[in-house]
Amino acid sequence: MEYMERNMAGGNLTVIMEFILLGFSDLPNLQRFLFGIFLVTYMSILIGNGLIIMITKVDAGLQTPMYFFLGNFSFLEICYTSVTLPRMLSNLWTQKRNISFVACSIQLCFLLILGNSECFLLGVMAYDRYVAICKPLYYPVIMNPKMCLQLLIGSWIAGIPVQIALTYQIFSLPFCGSNELNHVFCDIPPLLKLACGDTSKNELSVYADALLFALIPFLLIVGSYVKIIATILKLPSATGRYKAFSTCSSHLIVVALFYGSGITMYLRPKSSYSARTDKVFSLFYTIVTPVFNPLIYSLRNKDVIMALRNLLTK
């Protein structure tokens, strides 16, 4: 059942019990092709990020804070993608696009929590590079194992209460009329489009949440790299400058991919909502970044390449 009618105060109130994720239903002849593309992409994410996790655990040369955070970031990417891609694959294969109200809220909640964790972890990784390059003598003292663990745990749990509250607020809205969610998964912009009445307060909450848990870490990343670049430019050796830049460039590329699409998706007015554009941007921060993460870090990092070769040789 898609709807349930209740009689309240002598009138009928239609309550949506499930949504229909339209996804790529406007491309009926490409359903199997898209399924194949997304299946290969998902397997690539699992294998690529899984290899990063493995080498950061077993390779003795990668037992440093930088690779500790990289391994956990790869694990986070797997979790983040697994919230959306398996259901997308199921919808493409079975052509059954319905998702219950509860399942939709759970998917959105985990998406927000993991996305928030990714923002914080990217910020922590930038701080790690800042300490390593700008304060190298104090690096072992500042980024000690206890501090690394505290920063990691903080990244995972810092925003959980707020994201749960935001999810509750979104799903407390009355949804009436159509239950067709013109998106590939449950996300805030398409949900607000289906909500009845004034959603300006909810939009304000979304902007505040994005500013607090996305923009502030982003500004910290920018601030860290301004100081990093200033320090690198003062290095007397061209080789030293190249090596310092190479350790930071991979992280900057991942930050640009994730934040570029995420900010475009959330920090814009509802009036500029475009379902097709939003689908593209949402695929960027949920799929493209996780699939390119292992490639970016391995192709631009000699230590990771060497560790992968050792692992494959064994």
Side-chain angles (χ1 to χ4, degrees):
M1 292 289 291
E2 297 178 1
Y3 301 91
M4 180 175 69
E5 288 194 349
R6 294 176 182 171
N7 190 278
M8 296 182 67
N12 287 332
L13 174 68
T14 302
V15 180
I16 290 179
M17 300 301 294
E18 66 178 23
F19 296 102
I20 305 297
L21 286 168
L22 295 182
F24 301 100
S25 58
D26 57 334
L27 303 170
N29 298 325
L30 296 177
Q31 297 298 295
R32 290 293 184 263
F33 174 74
L34 289 172
F35 174 84
I37 293 293
F38 287 128
L39 179 61
V40 171
T41 301
Y42 188 43
M43 296 304 296
S44 300
I45 291 170
L46 294 179
I47 295 170
N49 286 284
L51 283 172
I52 295 292
I53 294 169
M54 189 176 298
I55 62 172
T56 56
K57 291 291 184 184
V58 302
D59 193 280
L62 302 184
Q63 302 305 305
T64 64
M66 175 182 171
Y67 296 109
F68 170 75
F69 292 127
L70 177 58
N72 281 278
F73 184 74
S74 293
F75 176 69
L76 178 59
E77 293 281 55
I78 290 175
C79 296
Y80 192 55
T81 308
S82 297
V83 173
T84 57
L85 252 180
R87 180 171 282 275
M88 285 172 58
L89 290 170
S90 174
N91 292 350
L92 286 168
W93 184 257
T94 65
Q95 298 300 300
K96 294 179 180 178
R97 299 184 174 89
N98 56 306
I99 181 172
S100 71
F101 192 86
V102 174
C104 189
S105 63
I106 291 173
Q107 186 183 61
L108 177 63
C109 189
F110 274 102
L111 193 70
L112 292 175
I113 290 171
L114 293 171
N116 172 78
S117 298
E118 186 152 344
C119 291
F120 277 115
L121 194 52
L122 286 170
V124 167
M125 293 169 77
Y127 176 70
D128 172 70
R129 291 299 81 210
Y130 160 73
V131 177
I133 293 171
C134 300
K135 300 182 179 182
L137 296 178
Y138 297 97
Y139 184 69
V141 178
I142 296 174
M143 300 304 292
N144 59 73
K146 183 179 179 181
M147 174 59 75
C148 291
L149 186 60
Q150 288 174 343
L151 289 171
L152 179 65
I153 293 172
S155 299
W156 276 93
I157 69 172
I160 289 178
V162 176
Q163 305 308 333
I164 291 175
L166 181 61
T167 304
Y168 177 78
Q169 185 186 58
I170 296 295
F171 282 88
S172 295
L173 288 167
F175 294 96
C176 55
S178 173
N179 68 334
E180 293 184 344
L181 204 62
N182 194 5
H183 206 53
V184 289
F185 52 81
C186 292
D187 206 355
I188 292 175
L191 283 166
L192 288 179
K193 186 173 174 62
L194 285 187
C196 305
D198 183 20
T199 60
S200 57
K201 291 182 179 179
N202 303 94
E203 289 182 60
L204 185 61
S205 296
V206 173
Y207 293 146
D209 180 78
L211 286 171
L212 183 61
F213 294 107
L215 201 55
I216 290 178
F218 178 70
L219 293 176
L220 291 173
I221 292 170
V222 172
S224 296
Y225 276 103
V226 167
K227 293 183 178 181
I228 287 171
I229 292 171
T231 302
I232 291 174
L233 293 176
K234 293 177 183 178
L235 294 175
S237 167
T239 305
R241 288 195 297 270
Y242 174 79
K243 185 176 180 181
F245 270 122
S246 67
T247 62
C248 300
S249 58
S250 301
H251 181 249
L252 278 173
I253 294 170
V254 173
V255 168
L257 281 172
F258 180 76
Y259 270 99
S261 54
I263 289 174
T264 304
M265 183 75 175
Y266 287 100
L267 292 181
R268 61 190 176 84
K270 187 179 178 182
S271 57
S272 64
Y273 176 87
S274 168
R276 181 165 293 183
T277 304
D278 280 4
K279 289 176 188 179
V280 174
F281 280 119
S282 65
L283 291 178
F284 259 92
Y285 66 80
T286 57
I287 296 176
V288 176
T289 302
V291 80
F292 278 109
N293 175 51
L295 291 174
I296 291 168
Y297 277 103
S298 60
L299 294 178
R300 301 184 63 85
N301 191 305
K302 292 180 180 179
D303 294 333
V304 173
I305 293 173
M306 187 62 67
L308 283 170
R309 284 177 179 172
N310 293 337
L311 180 66
L312 294 174
T313 302
K314 292 178 182 179

